Amino acid sequence: MQADPDIILAATGICKSFPGARALDTIDFTLRRGEVHALLGENGAGKSTLIKCLTGAYHRDEGTILLDNSAVDPRNTLDAQNMGIGTVYQEVNLLPNLTIAENIYLNRQPRRFGFTATGVMNRMAADLLSQYGLDLDVTAALGSCSVAVQQVVAIARAVDLSGKVLILDEPTASLDAQEVEMLFRIVRQLKARGLGIVFITHFLEQVYAVSDRITVLRNGRLVGVRDTAALPRKDLVAMMLGRELETEVEAGAKRNDAAGKVRYRFSGYGKGGKIEPFDMEVREGEVIGIAGLLGSGRTETAEVLFGAVRADKGTAEIDGQAVTLNSPRAAIRHGFGFCPEDRKIDGIVGDLSVRENIVLALQARRGWSRPLSRAEQDRLADRYIKALDIRTSDREKPIRLLSGGNQQKAILGRWLATDPNFMILDEPTRGIDVGAHAEIIRLIEELCAKGMSLVVISSELEELVVYSSRVVVLRDRRHVAELSGDEITTSHIVNAIASAESPAS
Amino acid sequence: MIRTVQQLALRLLPQVIALAIVLAMIAAVFPGFFSFSFQNGRLYGSIIDILNRGAPVALLAIGMTVVIATKGIDLSVGAVMAICGAVAAASATHGNPLVVTLALALATGIVCGIWNGFLVAVLDIQPIIATLVLMVAGRGIAQLVTEGAILTFNDEGLIFIGGGAFGGLPMPVVIWIVFGIAITALVRRTALGMLIEAIGINRRASTLSGIQTPVLLIAAYTLSGLCAAIAGVIAAADIRGADANNAGLWLELDAILAVVVGGTSLLGGRFSIAASLLGAMIIQAINTGILLSGFPPEFNLIIKAVIIVVILVVQSPKIRTISSFFARPARQNGGER
Amino acid sequence: MKPKYLPLAATIAIFILAYAVCALQYPAMLSTRVVGNLLTDNAFLGIAAVGMTFVILSGGIDLSIGSVIAFTGVFLAVVLEHTSIHPLAAFVLVLAITTVFGMIMGAIIHYLEMPPFIVTLAGMFLARGMAFVLSIDSIPIKHPFYATMKSFYYKLPGGGRITLIGGLMLLVFIAGMVLAHRTRFGTNVYALGGGTQTSRLMGVPVARTTILIYALSGFLAGLSGIVFSLYTSAGYSLAAVGVELDAIAAVVIGGTLLTGGAGFVGGTLVGLLIQGLIQTYITFDGSLSSWWTKILIGLLLFVFILMQKLILYLSRKKAG
C-alpha cells in the first residue's frame, strides 16, 4: 500500500464471518483527512459490522487496518478510542444520569489533591462545548437535554478523546431538521479541522447535504465507492437496493385490482411522532406491498395497524364497521396477525418449544381457561411444521435453537394457526437462507389466493413486485406514493423512494 | 403421555437425588430417622415432622414459583403471612365462625397480592421494589391488627388446621400437598402455565401474541398472596396465636431459596411447582437433620449460604457459557425440560 | 430547580414539616437533648446506610449488612472476652474481615454475573451463621476501653450530647458525600447505576468499581457493628435483624433511586432522621403504638417510589 499522506484510515480486505453467515466479504474502505464519507446500505448490508471491526468491538477475521499509515489492531472500542478512532452512536452511548461535564471527562476528571476539581472540570467542559457553538449549563444531567445536544456532547467527547477519525452511526435518526442543520455545521467544522468523518445514515438528503464520497455495501459486499457530486440519487438507491435498472423486473400476471371487495379501511390513521396519518384500503385476497428505506416509517405503519402502537388519529373499519384496534389483543380478535421484523425481540419466545410457540397466539385468543389439548397442540404443530417445512428434529425443541428462517416460519405458523383474515408481515424474508426465502414468497401467494388480505413490508423490491397488487411507498415517516397495476416495477419504486426533497428537511 | 411422565421424572431427578442424599446422611447419623409410629389416629416420626414443619415454606414456594416464572419476585410474603395470621386470630377472638375467619384471612392475602400485582403490572414498578413496600409496612399492619400483643385464641376449628390430623397426616401436610396438587393442576391442565412461562421469557413477544400480560401478572401475585395467607393461618394455628413480629419472619427468603433449589431460574420462564416443593422439603430436611444430629442449629444458616453459592455457580451465565462449550452436542436434547 | 434535586427537596421538606408538626405539639422535641439522642440512637443505622447508598446508587443491593453488624458485635465480644487484644486492634481486625467479605461478594457479583440480591442473600446467611457459630448467647463487653469511649461526648448548649458514635456517624456521612461527589470513584458509582454496559464502553473500570463498592459496604457495615457494640455494650448474634431493610428505607426516602444512578448521600441522612423522628414522636406521644413507624415508613417508601416513577416518566416524555 502506497503511503498517501491524504489518507487517514485505510481498511483493506476486511472479512468477518459469524456462524452460518459471512457478514463482510473482503471490504476495502478508505477515509481521507478532511472528508465526510457516507457509508450506506440497507439493514444487514454490513455497515455496522464494518464499523465494529474498525472500532475493535468485533475482531475481523482477515484484512488490515492502517491508521495514519501504521497498522493498528484495536482490541476493543476503548483501545480504538485511544488510537484516535471515536464513535458516536444513534442511541447516545453516554450516561443520562451524569452531568454533561461528567460525561465528557468521565474517568479523566481534573483533580486537585486527589479530589475531583468540579469547578475546573465544568469550566473545561463549557469551553469545549463553546467551540461547537453550544452555550449550556454543563452541570445539568445529560438526560435532561435534547437528543441533538446529547449527540453534540458525544461528538465533543469523542473528538476530544480521539481526534483523528470520527464515526457517526446514524446520529440524525431522531433529530428534527433544525437540529440536523446544527449537527451538520459541526460536522463541517470538524472536517475543516482535518478529521476524517464516517457518516452512516439512511436519509439520502443528508448524504447529499454533507458527504464528499459514498461507499455502498450490500449483503456484506462492497458495491462501490463514488464521489457524491457525481452520483445521481436514483443510481444511489439502485446501488443500495441492488437493482440494475436495465434488468427490470415486472410481475407477470398481476392480479386484477377489482378482484375482491375492500375489507379493511384505515382513514387518517396515524400516531404522532411515529407515522404521519395515512389512508389505506386492503381488499380481500390482495397483497399491499410497503416499500421505503430503513427509518421511513415501515415498521411504524405495521405496528399502528396491529395496535402494538396505539393510533392517536384516524379510524379503522372492517367490512364497513368501525372497530377499535387499541391493542394486539383487540386486533387479533378481529382476525389480524403480525410477524414482526425483529424475530428475536418481538417474535419468538426462546425457551418455549416449537410446538408452544406455534400454538401461543391461538391459545392466547382462546383464553387460559380453554386449553388446547396436548393432542390438538401436537396436531397443529405437526401440521405447520410440515406445511411450512420447518426444519427441526423435534417439535419439542426450544425454538431458540432453530435457524432464523425456521424461526420465521414457526412464527408464521403461530399466526396461521389462528386462521387470520389479515396478516401484516414485516420483512418476512430478511436474514434467512435462499431456500426458505422462496418458500415464504410462495406461501404469501398461496395465502393471498385463498382470500387472505396481507400487508407485506420488504426491502427486497423484486419480491414486492412479484406479489403485490399495490405498493405503498414511504419516506420520512409518511406515505408518499401508491403504485398499482403496471406502475409496479422496481424502477418506479426506486424513483418514488428517491424522488424530490421532502419538505421536512 | 408416557413421554410427559418421563420428562417430569427427568426434571425432578436432581431434586429427588439431593433430597435422598440429605435424608441418607441424616439416617446415617441418626438411625431411628425413618421409623414411624401410629398413635391417636395419626402418624408420628421424623419424616412426618419434616413434612409438617416445612408446610409454610412449601405453601409460599407454590406462589413464589409462579411469580418467579413471570420474571418477578415477591418479597412481601413473610409480612403477608403475619397480616393474615393476625386477621385470622382477631376474627377468632371476635367469636366469628371458622368459615368467616378463614374467608377474612384468605381475602386479606388476596388483597395484598392484588396490590403487589397492581404495582408491578399497571404502574410497571420493578417487582423487587414494588413488593418491598409491603415487606416493610406489612409487619406494622399486622401489629396494628393484633394491637401489638400476641393474640391468642381458642377456636378449636382454627387450632385443628395447625395441629389436627386428617387421614393420619397432620393438617398442614394435607393442606400443602392438596394445594400444591390443585395449583399444579390449575396451571398445567389449563393454558395458564404456558402463558405465564411465555411472559417470563419474553414479555413483549407475549403481548404481541395477544396474551393479556397485565391480567396474568396480577393473577400470579394474587396467587402468591393467597399462598401466604394459607401459610399465615397455619403458622398462627400452630402456636394458637398471632405473633405479628415473628410469624413468617425471613420465610420469603426460604421460599425464594426453595424455588431456586427447585431449579426454576430467577430470570423467569420454565417452572415446576413440584420441584419447588421438593426444594422446600430439602431445606426443611437440612434444618431437621441438623437439629437431630446434634449439630448446633447455628450451622443451618451457613449450610444455606453454601447451597446458594453452589447453585449460583452452577446457574451462573458465565459458567453456563463455559460448560455449554464443552457439552454442546449434549445440550441439544438436554435443553428440554 | 433541576429535576435531580426534586426528591431530595421533597425529603427535606417532609423532614422540616414533620419536625415542625412535632415541635408544635411537643416543644420539648426542639431541645438539643432530643437532637443528640436522635443522632446517637441512629448512629449504627446511619453508618450502614451510607454504604447502602453507594450500593444502591450503583444499581445493586446489599442484604448482608444486618448480619455483618451482628457478626461484628459477636466477634468483638468473643475476642475481648477470651483474649487480651486491645479493642482498637480488634476493631482493625474485624474491619479487615468485613471489608474482605464485601470484596468477595462484589467479585462474585461481577465475575459470575449473578444478581446482587442473591449473592448478598447468601452473604446474609453466611455472616449470621458465623455469628451463631461464635456464640449464640448475648455476651456483655466489659472492657474498660469501652467505658472510656462512651464517656467522650461534646456537650451542646441546652444539655444535649453529641456522643462519640453520633459524631462518628456525621463524619462518615461527610466522608461519604466527599467520596460520592468529589472523587472519580464516586462518579464511577453513579456511572454504573446509569448503565453497566455504557460505563464499560466509556472506560469505567467496572470490575474494580463493583468490588470496591461492596468492599465499602462491608467496611461500613463492620464500622456500624463496632458502633452498635459500643451502643449496646454487648455482642449478640440475633441483633440487628432487618437493619438492611431500615437502611434501604432510609436511602430511598432520602431520595435515591432504587434502580440506581441518581441520589445523594446527604439525602440518606435526612431519610434516616425522618425515620428517627417518627420513632421519637411515637415515644413522646406515648399513646401511639410503635407499629405506626413501620406503616408510615412503608407509606413513605411507596410515595417516593411513585414520585421517582413520575419524574422518570415526565423526563422521558420531555426528551422523546
Side-chain angles (χ1 to χ4, degrees):
Chain A
M1 179 132 223
Q2 286 297 313
D4 181 345
D6 237 14
I7 288 176
I8 191 161
L9 180 78
T12 325
I14 304 290
C15 294
K16 176 75 191 172
S17 295
F18 296 111
R22 195 162 176 86
L24 291 179
D25 191 358
T26 48
I27 305 283
D28 295 339
F29 181 77
T30 56
L31 180 66
R32 299 189 187 125
R33 279 173 221 283
E35 87 165 341
V36 178
H37 194 141
L39 181 60
L40 303 178
E42 279 290 276
N43 252 358
K47 287 171 303 183
S48 52
T49 313
L50 177 61
I51 293 306
K52 283 179 174 163
C53 286
L54 292 178
T55 59
Y58 286 161
H59 205 89
R60 61 185 186 277
D61 299 335
E62 280 168 55
T64 53
I65 301 174
L66 296 179
L67 181 66
D68 266 345
N69 283 315
S70 51
V72 293
D73 190 13
R75 278 168 292 128
N76 52 45
T77 47
L78 277 180
D79 211 23
Q81 191 176 295
N82 293 335
M83 291 172 179
I85 306 175
T87 315
V88 172
Y89 302 94
Q90 173 190 349
E91 64 300 348
V92 185
N93 246 330
L94 298 178
L95 293 157
N97 60 324
L98 298 187
T99 69
I100 292 174
E102 283 169 339
N103 266 294
I104 295 178
Y105 292 108
L106 187 64
N107 246 308
R108 53 193 188 108
Q109 295 100 326
R111 285 188 288 194
R112 198 182 296 142
F113 311 120
F115 295 107
T116 310
T118 314
V120 177
M121 179 176 80
N122 290 342
R123 223 171 309 122
M124 283 165 63
D127 287 348
L128 184 70
L129 290 175
S130 70
Q131 293 173 22
Y132 295 86
L134 281 186
D135 182 22
L136 295 170
D137 175 10
V138 295
T139 63
L142 185 78
S144 67
C145 304
S146 71
V147 178
V149 169
Q150 296 189 25
Q151 291 286 8
V152 176
V153 171
I155 291 173
R157 176 185 150 88
V159 171
D160 195 42
L161 275 165
S162 305
K164 286 181 186 169
V165 173
L166 178 63
I167 299 171
L168 300 173
D169 190 355
E170 301 203 20
T172 56
S174 43
L175 305 188
D176 66 27
Q178 214 180 343
E179 292 169 330
V180 169
E181 202 34 62
M182 174 185 78
L183 196 77
F184 283 0
R185 209 181 54 235
I186 287 166
V187 167
R188 292 189 192 104
Q189 188 188 329
L190 292 171
K191 173 178 146 179
R193 276 212 238 161
L195 261 78
I197 297 167
V198 182
F199 182 51
I200 298 173
T201 184
H202 48 258
F203 294 110
L204 296 190
E205 300 85 60
Q206 297 180 359
V207 172
Y208 283 96
V210 80
S211 76
D212 303 306
R213 284 200 299 159
I214 297 172
T215 290
V216 178
L217 303 182
R218 195 176 63 240
N219 294 331
R221 292 205 180 79
L222 181 66
V223 178
V225 187
R226 303 276 194 281
D227 284 331
T228 310
L231 181 66
R233 180 184 297 253
K234 206 175 130 184
D235 295 357
L236 173 59
V237 174
M239 276 172 86
M240 288 170 67
L241 298 181
R243 303 294 155 251
E244 301 305 327
L245 296 180
E246 306 84 71
T247 62
E248 188 76 71
V249 176
E250 281 185 53
K254 191 78 63 188
R255 257 169 300 284
N256 190 348
D257 275 13
K261 59 179 174 27
V262 174
R263 291 208 63 195
Y264 304 91
R265 181 175 281 126
F266 301 90
S267 319
Y269 220 56
K271 161 85 180 170
K274 295 265 183 189
I275 182 82
E276 294 290 317
F278 59 87
D279 295 326
M280 185 185 276
E281 287 180 356
V282 190
R283 295 164 200 274
E284 194 167 51
E286 80 164 342
V287 177
I288 304 276
I290 295 192
L293 294 178
L294 193 67
S296 57
R298 303 181 302 197
T299 298
E300 288 79 356
T301 301
E303 288 181 344
V304 165
L305 290 178
F306 190 61
V309 167
R310 207 173 289 191
D312 56 5
K313 295 181 202 79
T315 55
E317 282 176 25
I318 298 176
D319 295 333
Q321 300 278 326
V323 291
T324 318
L325 303 170
N326 54 7
S327 69
R329 202 173 157 76
I332 291 165
R333 251 200 316 273
H334 289 107
F336 284 37
F338 173 44
C339 291
E341 180 180 10
D342 195 326
R343 286 188 294 271
K344 287 227 154 50
I345 294 176
D346 299 337
I348 63 165
V349 181
D351 281 341
L352 290 191
S353 65
V354 177
R355 164 181 58 85
E356 288 167 308
N357 269 283
I358 288 176
V359 303
L360 193 63
L362 179 59
Q363 183 62 67
R365 193 174 68 186
R366 289 168 65 106
W368 63 269
S369 56
R370 290 172 54 222
L372 292 156
S373 74
R374 183 58 184 263
E376 274 174 284
Q377 293 187 24
D378 288 350
R379 199 172 48 72
L380 275 170
D382 286 344
R383 180 165 146 209
Y384 288 103
I385 287 173
K386 185 145 176 281
L388 303 176
D389 193 22
I390 300 171
R391 311 244 162 85
T392 173
S393 56
D394 183 349
R395 62 171 175 260
E396 297 306 319
K397 198 166 174 174
I399 197 169
R400 65 184 154 79
L401 300 177
L402 268 57
S403 74
N406 286 314
Q407 290 178 351
Q408 182 70 310
K409 288 194 270 184
I411 294 172
L412 269 167
R414 174 191 295 172
W415 291 112
L416 294 181
T418 67
D419 196 14
N421 305 315
F422 184 53
M423 283 277 279
I424 304 158
L425 311 180
D426 193 353
E427 292 283 4
T429 56
R430 167 165 305 151
I432 64 182
D433 59 77
V434 182
H437 195 130
E439 287 167 35
I440 286 180
I441 292 177
R442 196 173 328 120
L443 182 74
I444 290 172
E445 293 184 314
E446 260 174 51
L447 294 174
C448 183
K450 281 184 193 155
M452 193 187 288
S453 310
L454 293 104
V455 169
V456 182
I457 297 167
S458 179
S459 41
E460 301 281 336
L461 300 188
E462 266 162 16
E463 251 181 67
L464 287 179
V465 169
V466 169
Y467 51 63
S468 306
S469 64
R470 279 178 292 151
V471 172
V472 176
V473 177
L474 272 68
R475 200 176 57 230
D476 293 328
R477 303 178 182 278
R478 207 182 285 274
H479 289 213
V480 290
E482 183 173 311
L483 310 173
S484 59
D486 294 338
E487 292 170 353
I488 304 180
T489 62
T490 47
S491 62
H492 275 126
I493 299 176
V494 167
N495 279 338
I497 293 173
S499 69
E501 299 285 345
S502 70
S505 50
Chain B
M1 193 65 203
I2 292 165
R3 187 179 161 145
T4 334
V5 172
Q6 270 177 352
Q7 274 177 354
L8 185 69
L10 206 66
R11 168 69 179 80
L12 297 181
L13 197 62
Q15 283 74 32
V16 171
I17 291 175
L19 187 57
I21 291 175
V22 171
L23 294 180
M25 277 166 59
I26 302 169
V29 183
F30 188 79
F33 183 67
F34 285 114
S35 62
F36 287 96
S37 63
F38 194 80
Q39 287 166 11
N40 307 329
R42 64 171 283 188
L43 279 165
Y44 287 91
S46 299
I47 296 287
I48 302 297
D49 198 49
I50 289 173
L51 292 173
N52 194 13
R53 287 180 183 279
V57 174
L59 280 163
L60 294 182
I62 294 170
M64 192 66 82
T65 308
V66 175
V67 167
I68 286 179
T70 68
K71 211 174 187 170
I73 202 157
D74 188 349
L75 294 182
S76 71
V77 288
V80 174
M81 266 182 78
I83 299 175
C84 297
V87 167
S91 167
T93 48
H94 245 271
N96 286 335
L98 182 64
V99 182
V100 174
T101 297
L102 290 181
L104 278 175
L106 300 190
T108 309
I110 287 172
V111 168
C112 291
I114 290 175
W115 161 261
N116 284 331
F118 173 78
L119 295 190
V120 172
V122 181
L123 297 186
D124 203 21
I125 298 172
Q126 277 186 3
I128 194 172
I129 297 171
T131 54
L132 184 69
V133 173
L134 202 51
M135 183 188 189
V136 170
R139 291 201 180 273
I141 297 171
Q143 282 169 319
L144 186 69
V145 175
T146 64
E147 292 171 339
I150 294 183
L151 206 55
T152 55
F153 49 82
N154 295 313
D155 186 311
E156 283 306 324
L158 197 52
I159 290 168
F160 180 77
I161 289 174
F166 181 85
L169 286 170
M171 273 307 280
V173 181
V174 176
I175 291 172
W176 77 253
I177 290 177
V178 168
F179 196 68
I181 291 171
I183 297 298
T184 308
L186 178 70
V187 296
R188 293 300 175 197
R189 292 278 149 189
T190 68
L192 271 178
M194 183 181 86
L195 299 180
I196 284 168
E197 287 174 346
I199 292 173
I201 298 167
N202 190 339
R203 186 160 162 188
R204 192 171 148 79
S206 303
T207 309
L208 282 178
S209 301
I211 298 175
Q212 286 173 298
T213 321
V215 176
L216 289 184
L217 279 175
I218 293 176
Y221 286 89
T222 307
L223 173 66
S224 183
L226 178 64
C227 290
I230 300 173
V233 170
I234 289 178
D238 188 37
I239 61 167
R240 302 175 182 217
D243 180 352
N245 276 319
N246 296 312
L249 194 63
W250 305 127
L251 285 198
E252 57 275 341
L253 300 181
D254 279 2
I256 294 168
L257 191 57
V259 175
V260 175
V261 170
T264 298
S265 164
L266 280 173
L267 302 175
R270 294 291 194 193
F271 68 93
S272 163
I273 290 175
S276 298
L277 291 174
L278 281 171
M281 288 308 116
I282 292 173
I283 294 172
Q284 187 56 47
I286 294 171
N287 284 348
T288 306
I290 286 174
L291 216 65
L292 280 175
S293 52
F295 274 118
E298 303 70 85
F299 276 104
N300 224 328
L301 288 172
I302 296 180
I303 288 172
K304 270 189 204 167
V306 172
I307 293 175
I308 298 179
V309 171
V310 169
I311 293 169
L312 278 188
V313 173
V314 173
Q315 282 195 351
S316 159
K318 269 266 172 79
I319 302 278
R320 273 193 188 179
T321 351
I322 297 167
S323 60
S324 69
F325 180 77
F326 290 111
R328 194 161 288 155
R331 272 179 73 86
Q332 298 283 321
N333 299 317
E336 290 166 16
R337 273 168 291 180
Chain C
M1 184 166 42
K2 286 179 191 165
K4 71 170 180 174
Y5 293 118
L6 263 176
L8 183 66
T11 312
I12 294 173
I14 288 174
F15 177 70
I16 293 173
L17 196 74
Y19 207 10
V21 169
C22 293
L24 274 179
Q25 211 173 344
Y26 305 105
M29 275 185 72
L30 276 176
S31 74
T32 55
R33 201 181 290 267
V34 171
V35 175
N37 287 346
L38 204 58
L39 295 180
T40 305
D41 295 340
N42 292 293
F44 77 98
L45 178 58
I47 291 170
V50 173
M52 186 67 93
T53 311
F54 280 90
V55 174
I56 290 180
L57 279 176
S58 77
I61 201 151
D62 188 352
L63 298 181
S64 73
I65 58 176
S67 304
V68 172
I69 291 171
F71 167 80
T72 306
V74 176
F75 180 88
L76 288 174
V78 169
V79 165
L80 295 182
E81 194 181 50
H82 295 291
T83 68
S84 55
I85 293 180
H86 189 271
L88 282 178
F91 291 170
V92 172
L93 193 62
V94 79
L95 286 176
I97 294 173
T98 60
T99 308
V100 170
F101 183 73
M103 280 174 76
I104 293 172
M105 290 197 298
I108 292 176
I109 289 165
H110 177 77
Y111 289 112
L112 294 188
E113 291 171 18
M114 289 308 298
F117 178 82
I118 292 294
V119 175
T120 57
L121 177 64
M124 169 187 183
F125 286 145
L126 191 67
R128 185 75 67 184
M130 295 308 285
F132 277 130
V133 168
L134 286 177
S135 169
I136 49 170
D137 303 315
S138 176
I139 309 171
I141 300 177
K142 300 187 196 96
H143 199 283
F145 186 71
Y146 264 61
T148 323
M149 280 194 294
K150 281 185 147 179
S151 65
F152 285 127
Y153 57 84
Y154 175 78
K155 199 158 174 141
L156 294 166
R161 292 170 175 183
I162 304 256
T163 56
L164 185 70
I165 58 173
L168 182 65
M169 174 185 79
L170 292 179
L171 281 182
V172 168
F173 266 103
I174 291 167
M177 286 184 225
V178 172
L179 192 62
H181 306 300
R182 283 284 176 273
T183 65
R184 286 187 184 175
F185 168 74
T187 313
N188 289 344
V189 172
Y190 282 87
L192 284 190
T196 317
Q197 197 51 38
T198 308
S199 301
R200 188 174 290 129
L201 284 175
M202 289 179 75
V204 172
V206 176
R208 193 182 74 200
T209 309
T210 307
I211 293 171
L212 277 179
I213 288 166
Y214 287 91
L216 178 69
S217 180
F219 172 81
L220 288 175
L223 191 61
S224 168
I226 294 172
V227 165
F228 192 69
S229 84
L230 277 166
Y231 181 60
T232 58
S233 293
Y236 184 32
S237 45
L238 273 175
V241 167
V243 164
E244 50 279 339
L245 280 192
D246 293 338
I248 293 171
V251 172
V252 175
I253 295 172
T256 296
L257 202 61
L258 241 180
T259 44
F264 300 93
V265 175
T268 303
L269 178 61
V270 184
L272 177 81
L273 293 177
I274 290 178
Q275 287 192 39
L277 194 65
I278 295 172
Q279 265 156 4
T280 312
Y281 178 84
I282 284 167
T283 321
F284 262 75
D285 182 275
S287 68
L288 268 180
S289 318
S290 61
W291 50 81
W292 284 107
T293 316
K294 284 175 188 156
I295 297 176
L296 276 175
I297 289 172
L299 205 66
L300 279 175
L301 259 181
F302 177 61
V303 167
F304 272 82
I305 289 167
L306 264 195
M307 184 169 74
Q308 287 168 341
K309 197 86 202 162
L310 197 71
I311 291 173
L312 211 67
Y313 174 76
L314 290 177
S315 68
R316 252 191 220 144
K317 207 164 183 189
K318 196 179 124 199

